[in-house]
Amino acid sequence: MRYCDLHIRGRPMLLRDWREQNGWTLARLAAALDLPSERSVGTVQRWETGKSRPEADVIERIETVTGGAVTVADMHETRLAFLSKQLGNSSEGVARCPAE
């Protein structure tokens, strides 16, 4: 299965969007993910923007905490979109699969 086949919604569910839609603070999300309290809010904020990426086990916890609303693919695409902007690429996210 190709990466683009995994992401059929058209755009990722951003962790920030999920958090805000559910009325969660950064601190509440960090606590739900069992992150150490020291600098955890800043860490979650960097994940939300794609500035950094969580480890695989944390991404699994994100998917669990959000009830599957934010997936591994969503976190990956958030990171790629950030990197694309850093490189000056005008396209957002990952190129979609060509029509078959």
Side-chain angles (χ1 to χ4, degrees):
M1 181 175 285
R2 299 171 302 171
Y3 168 76
C4 50
D5 293 332
L6 297 172
H7 194 251
I8 58 175
R9 290 185 300 220
R11 93 177 216 13
M13 167 54 92
L14 301 176
L15 184 58
R16 179 185 323 177
D17 291 346
W18 180 89
R19 180 179 57 76
E20 290 175 351
Q21 288 171 8
N22 288 280
W24 285 36
T25 63
L26 287 164
R28 180 176 176 188
L29 181 54
L33 295 171
D34 294 323
L35 299 178
S37 60
E38 186 177 311
R39 294 187 229 143
S40 61
V41 168
T43 298
V44 172
Q45 197 166 35
R46 286 187 295 279
W47 296 341
E48 287 182 341
T49 63
K51 193 171 191 175
S52 67
R53 63 179 176 82
E55 295 295 325
D57 64 316
V58 177
I59 293 175
E60 288 179 6
R61 286 190 301 226
I62 289 169
E63 198 164 8
T64 299
V65 166
T66 64
V70 179
T71 66
V72 172
D74 294 329
M75 295 301 294
H76 182 69
E77 190 158 331
T78 298
R79 177 69 173 150
L80 290 178
F82 174 83
L83 293 173
S84 179
K85 287 179 186 178
Q86 293 299 305
L87 295 173
N89 186 344
S90 62
S91 65
E92 292 201 26
V94 176
R96 302 290 178 228
C97 289
E100 294 183 18

